[in-house]
C-alpha cells in the first residue's frame, strides 16, 4: 500500500511485531487460506515473500499502530489524569481506545489481504482476474473506507490531546465520525 491509498495520521500508535513474526503470520495465514479455498492452480512450491518486497507495507502497518500499545486507555494516560474522572468516563475512554485499536487491526488485515494475498495469488499462482474478483469481492472498496475512518479517529485523538501532554487525552465527541461511516 502506498501513502496515498491510506495515509496514516502523524499520530502516535504502537510498533507492531518484528518483521520475522509478521512474515511467519503471513505464511501461516496464506497456507490456511490456500488450503481452505481449493484453488485449482495451487502449486506445491512455497511462495517466497522477500522481506524487501513488503518493506513499505511493514512501514505502513507500524505507522498505523504507533502509540496504541497499551492494553487500555486507562493504562496509557497518566494515573493523576484519571483521579478526577468518574468510573463511567474512564470506561467510556477505554471503549473508544479499544474501537481505535480494533480499526487499526481491521485496516492491517485489509492491507495484508490486498497487498500480500491478492498479489501472491496473481503473481505466484497466476490466478485469473475473474477468480480474483470472486475471492476478493468488494474488498478493494473497504480499504479506503476504513483507512479514512482510522485517519479520522487518529485525528480526533490528536485534537483531544491535553496541551503540553504526550499521553493525556479525552475524546468527548465521537458520534459525528461514527454517523459519517454509515
Amino acid at each position: 500500500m502506498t501513502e496515498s491509498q491510506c495515509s496514516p495520521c502523524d499520530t502516535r500508535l504502537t510498533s507492531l511485531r518484528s518483521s520475522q513474526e509478521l512474515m511467519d503470520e503471513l505464511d501461516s495465514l496464506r497456507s490456511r487460506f490456500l488450503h481452505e479455498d481449493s484453488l485449482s492452480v495451487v502449486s506445491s512450491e512455497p511462495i517466497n515473500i522477500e522481506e524487501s518486497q513488503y518493506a513499505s507495507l511493514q512501514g505502513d502497518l507500524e505507522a498505523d499502530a504507533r502509540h496504541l500499545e497499551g492494553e487500555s486507555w486507562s493504562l496509557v494516560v497518566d494515573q493523576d489524569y484519571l483521579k478526577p474522572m468518574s468510573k463511567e468516563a474512564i470506561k467510556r475512554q477505554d471503549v473508544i481506545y479499544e474501537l481505535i485499536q480494533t480499526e487499526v487491526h481491521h485496516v492491517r488485515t485489509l492491507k495484508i489481504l490486498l497487498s500480500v494475498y491478492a498479489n501472491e495469488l496473481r503473481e505466484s499462482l497466476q490466478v485469473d482476474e475473474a477468480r480474483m474478483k470472486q475471492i476478493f469481492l468488494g474488498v478493494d472498496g473497504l480499504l479506503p473506507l476504513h483507512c479514512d475512518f482510522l485517519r479520522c479517529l487518529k485525528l480526533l485523538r490528536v485534537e483531544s490531546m491535553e496541551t503540553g501532554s504526550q499521553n493525556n487525552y479525552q475524546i468527548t465527541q465521537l458520534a459525528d465520525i461514527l454517523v459519517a461511516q454509515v
Side-chain angles (χ1 to χ4, degrees):
M1 285 292 120
T2 64
E3 187 75 18
S4 64
Q5 288 175 307
C6 183
S7 78
C9 288
D10 293 325
T11 58
R12 304 168 281 126
L13 296 182
T14 56
S15 293
L16 289 176
R17 294 174 249 170
S18 74
S19 219
Q20 184 58 46
E21 289 173 324
L22 178 61
M23 293 304 129
D24 290 345
E25 179 180 332
L26 295 175
D27 289 340
S28 168
L29 291 173
R30 183 185 328 99
S31 66
R32 186 173 11 161
F33 173 80
L34 291 175
H35 178 61
E36 290 172 359
D37 187 321
S38 58
L39 294 171
S40 60
V41 294
V42 173
S43 166
S44 61
E45 295 179 28
I47 297 172
N48 289 328
I49 296 179
E50 295 179 25
E51 197 166 324
S52 62
Q53 182 180 0
Y54 295 106
S56 174
L57 173 62
Q58 176 88 24
D60 283 353
L61 298 177
E62 289 173 356
D64 285 346
R66 195 166 298 121
H67 295 287
L68 283 173
E69 67 273 354
E71 198 171 305
S72 69
W73 175 85
S74 56
L75 295 175
V76 172
V77 297
D78 297 331
Q79 295 306 299
D80 290 336
Y81 186 71
L82 298 175
K83 288 181 182 177
M85 297 177 72
S86 69
K87 287 184 179 186
E88 289 87 22
I90 293 170
K91 182 65 176 171
R92 180 177 191 271
Q93 294 305 310
D94 281 339
V95 169
I96 293 170
Y97 184 84
E98 186 176 345
L99 172 69
I100 298 170
Q101 284 182 318
T102 301
E103 194 62 21
V104 165
H105 291 117
H106 188 60
V107 167
R108 176 181 177 275
T109 300
L110 288 170
K111 284 181 176 182
I112 291 171
L113 180 68
L114 292 171
S115 294
V116 178
Y117 295 120
N119 184 51
E120 290 298 327
L121 286 172
R122 267 189 209 97
E123 304 292 323
S124 298
L125 299 176
Q126 300 178 353
V127 175
D128 63 84
E129 281 305 309
R131 181 72 166 142
M132 292 296 291
K133 285 182 181 180
Q134 288 177 333
I135 295 171
F136 297 104
L137 184 65
V139 175
D140 285 337
L142 292 176
L143 184 59
L145 176 80
H146 285 280
C147 283
D148 187 55
F149 182 44
L150 179 59
R151 182 190 55 76
C152 291
L153 290 171
K154 291 162 66 176
L155 182 60
L156 183 59
R157 181 186 170 278
V158 169
E159 291 171 350
S160 302
M161 194 67 62
E162 293 290 320
T163 307
S165 174
Q166 299 265 328
N167 299 323
N168 299 334
Y169 66 94
Q170 186 175 357
I171 296 174
T172 58
Q173 184 64 32
L174 182 63
D176 54 336
I177 294 174
L178 295 174
V179 168
Q181 293 304 305
V182 178

